[in-house]
Every structure is written in C-alpha cells, then in structure tokens.
C-alpha cells in the first residue's frame, strides 16, 4: 500500500452496479429453474423523510434486480402488538424470503423485541441474535455464508476486495462499535486474517491509533472527524458515515445542506492510497448487499424445501 499524492477514489456506484448485474442474472435463473421470484417485505413505521427515502431506494433496487418488494407502511402511533402480528404473518408467508424493518423505530416500540421476532432465515439485516452468533462462529467466505451478514460491513468488505486490498496480516482500525456496522466489520476483517483494533468514544488518542492502520473503516456518525493527520501515508480508508452539514455561504433558492462522511475526503485524499467518497461509496454497496442477502435467503429456502420433499 504505497502512498501517492492523490488517493484513488473507490467508486461504490460502479462496483455496486456490477454486483447488482450479477444478482439480477441469478434472480432470473431462480425464476427460470424454480418458477419463484425472491420476495422482500419492507416494514416502514412513521413518516421520517430519511427513512422513506431509504425505503424507496431499496424498493427501486429490488425492482431493477427482479426481486419482488412488498411494502407494509404503518403510522408512527402503531401499537407494538400490531407490528409483531405483521412480522409473524410474514414469517409464515412462503413467498416472503426476507423481512426488512426500516430503522429507527419510534421510541414507544421495543426495537430489539421486534427485530428478534423476525425468523433468522428471513433476517436480511443480520441483526437477529442467532445470526450475530453465526457470524462470530463462522469460518467460511463471507459472501457464501448460509445466514445474513449486516449489509453495510459486508458491502465494505466487497469494496476492499474489488479494490485489490489484501487484508491478510494488515493492521485495520474500525472507528465505531455498533452492532450494525462496527462489530460485524471487525469480525469480517478478522475472518480475512487482519489484525483489528476497534476505537470508540472512550478510546484514548484515536488519531494515534489510526495512524498505525493500513486500513481505516470510519463508522461513527461525526462529520469530517477523520483528518489527514490521522492517516498513515498509503492507507486505505472506508467511510461509512452519512452526515449533513450546512452549505456556506448559503445560495439563494439553493440547497441548504450537503451530505458528507466521517472522513474529511478532500483532506484525506492527499495522504491515503484509496478512499471511498460520500455519497457514492459505501451507500450503493449497502443496497447491493440487501439484494444479495434476499437472494441468498430465497436460495436457502429452496434448498430446505428440496431436502424435505
């Protein structure tokens, strides 16, 4: 990982597009060979604009891949029991291979209880405790896992693979310890024989820890937190963060904000060898992995069906 004056951009849009083309071909094969269309149920609670935007993007991606998406929209005041009843019905529906519950849920709902109600085989987010444990114990190739792995860290791993990054023996730092990104990301990197350090809000002198890393994955949710003096020359940087900052000076009649990552991209490109941009880096891969997890769930259901018949 030799340094260069300006880092190469890891283009998640291009990599995700190629990956989604492969998924579409496999979905067509499932339909041709089994007469089945993979189905994804998407549960949306409330009217948060960001959640609605994400759901619409996921539904559009499903349609383009030939995956059937079925939406279940609830008011923000929905009762927990009503939501649980919906999940139970979807668990029992053989035409539904994946269940996605768009997060976050309103505060009056027990998010963990609802997520754990989803059948592990249909848990395309990889958040059920059984699938979390499966990942800890799994020793095989991530993309071949017989269970779902959280979409964002899995997408990060594919970005690293497609960018020619050999993780074996490398020092990797993951900034953030969430169950959705940080912890599964660390486990995936360990699975590639990397040496992994997890940093968090209580880590002393995060910058000095990051400067030892060959690969940095930033997933903390703080705009432009990672600067060039945090990065070892030639390191690879994966930016998971999606944050908004005001556009200054404000343009009359124009947008008032823009999306940025946890990494100060314009600063870090001067030091790193490869960096993902925001937007256009990790985000497209997260959606591609959702499609992949749904297809895997369908293929697994077909295998189970053939064994029992």
């Amino acid at each position: 990982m030799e340094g260069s004056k300006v880092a190469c951009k890891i283009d998640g849009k291009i990599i995700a597009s190629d990956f989604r083309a492969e998924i579409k071909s496999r979905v067509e094969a499932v339909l041709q060979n089994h007469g089945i269309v993979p189905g994804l149920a998407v549960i949306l609670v409330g009217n948060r604009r960001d959640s609605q935007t994400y759901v619409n993007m996921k539904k559009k991606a499903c349609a383009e891949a030939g995956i059937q998406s079925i939406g279940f929209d609830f008011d923000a005041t929905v009762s927990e029991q009503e939501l649980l009843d919906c999940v139970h019905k979807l668990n029992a529906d053989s035409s539904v291979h994946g269940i996605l519950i768009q997060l976050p849920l309103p505060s009056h709902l027990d998010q963990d209880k609802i997520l754990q109600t989803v059948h592990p085989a249909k848990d395309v987010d990889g958040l059920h405790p059984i699938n979390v444990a499966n990942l800890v114990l799994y020793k095989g190739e991530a993309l071949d896992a017989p269970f779902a792995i959280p979409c964002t860290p899995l997408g990060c791993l594919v970005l690293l693979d497609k960018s020619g990054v050999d993780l074996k023996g490398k020092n990797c730092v993951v900034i953030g310890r969430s169950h959705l990104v940080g912890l599964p990301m660390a486990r995936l990197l360990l699975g590639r024989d990397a040496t992994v350090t997890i940093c968090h809000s209580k880590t002393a002198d995060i910058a000095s820890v990051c400067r030892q890393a060959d690969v940095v994955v930033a997933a903390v949710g703080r705009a432009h937190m990672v600067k060039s003096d945090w990065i070892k020359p030639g390191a690879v940087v994966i930016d998971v963060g999606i944050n908004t900052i005001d556009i200054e000076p404000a343009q009359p009649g124009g947008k008032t904000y823009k999306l940025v990552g946890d990494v100060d991209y314009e600063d870090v490109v001067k030091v790193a060898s490869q960096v993902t941009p925001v937007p256009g880096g990790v985000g497209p891969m997260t959606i591609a992995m959702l499609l992949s997890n749904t297809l895997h769930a369908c293929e697994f259901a077909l295998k189970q069906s053939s064994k029992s018949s």
Side-chain angles (χ1 to χ4, degrees), residues 204-219:
D205 195 0
I206 294 179
S208 68
V209 177
C210 289
R211 278 193 291 270
Q212 307 304 312
D214 302 301
V215 176
V216 174
V217 180

Side-chain angles (χ1 to χ4, degrees), residues 45 50 99 117-118 127 131 135 171 184 188 194 261 264 274 284 287:
V45 180
D50 56 347
I99 301 171
T117 303
V118 176
L127 295 176
N131 288 331
L135 178 57
N171 289 321
L188 291 173
D264 189 339
Q274 299 188 76
I287 293 179

Side-chain angles (χ1 to χ4, degrees), residues 24-267:
K24 182 177 181 179
S25 177
R26 288 169 54 199
V27 168
E28 291 171 350
V30 169
L31 177 59
Q32 182 176 354
N33 296 330
H34 303 280
I36 290 176
V37 176
L40 175 67
V42 182
I43 296 175
L44 175 64
V45 180
N47 56 2
R48 284 178 55 125
R49 288 186 178 180
D50 56 347
S51 291
Q52 290 174 334
T53 298
Y54 294 144
V55 165
N56 289 337
M57 290 170 61
K58 291 166 184 176
K59 289 181 177 179
K60 181 182 178 183
C62 282
E64 291 174 353
I67 293 173
Q68 181 183 19
S69 65
I70 313 104
F72 295 85
D73 297 349
F74 295 91
D75 291 336
T77 56
V78 65
S79 71
E80 187 172 289
Q81 190 56 54
E82 186 177 355
L83 209 53
L84 290 172
D85 289 343
C86 177
V87 173
H88 284 304
K89 289 179 182 178
L90 294 173
N91 282 340
D93 188 341
S94 61
S95 69
V96 173
H97 304 100
I99 301 171
L100 170 70
I101 299 174
Q102 184 63 42
L103 304 177
L105 295 175
S107 58
H108 71 281
L109 300 172
D110 186 336
Q111 184 167 290
D112 288 341
K113 180 179 179 181
I114 293 166
L115 290 175
Q116 291 172 23
T117 303
V118 176
H119 192 288
K122 298 189 178 189
D123 165 37
V124 289
D125 266 335
L127 295 176
H128 193 284
I130 289 178
N131 288 331
V132 173
N134 282 335
L135 178 57
V136 171
L137 298 172
Y138 186 60
K139 296 181 179 179
E141 170 55 44
L143 285 173
D144 296 330
F147 55 88
I149 294 173
C151 301
T152 296
L154 187 59
C156 291
L157 189 70
V158 173
L159 286 175
L160 290 166
D161 285 346
K162 297 295 185 180
S163 301
V165 180
D166 182 7
L167 294 166
K168 187 174 183 178
K170 297 297 189 297
N171 289 321
C172 298
V173 168
V174 179
I175 309 175
R177 52 180 171 181
S178 71
H179 292 289
L180 192 59
V181 181
L183 294 181
M185 186 75 251
R187 179 63 187 87
L188 291 173
L189 293 169
L190 283 172
R192 294 297 182 82
D193 295 321
T195 299
V196 183
T197 301
I198 300 175
C199 292
H200 48 78
S201 60
K202 301 298 187 293
T203 300
D205 195 0
I206 294 179
S208 68
V209 177
C210 289
R211 278 193 291 270
Q212 307 304 312
D214 302 301
V215 176
V216 174
V217 180
V220 70
R222 288 181 59 186
H224 289 170
M225 175 180 174
V226 179
K227 305 292 185 180
S228 61
D229 60 0
W230 288 36
I231 303 301
K232 180 170 73 172
V236 176
V237 181
I238 304 294
D239 190 353
V240 179
I242 301 178
N243 313 284
T244 60
I245 61 173
D246 294 334
I247 294 176
E248 296 178 351
Q251 301 297 319
K255 286 184 66 176
T256 59
Y257 69 91
K258 63 179 179 179
L259 293 178
V260 299
D262 293 346
V263 175
D264 189 339
Y265 183 85
E266 297 301 329
D267 191 30

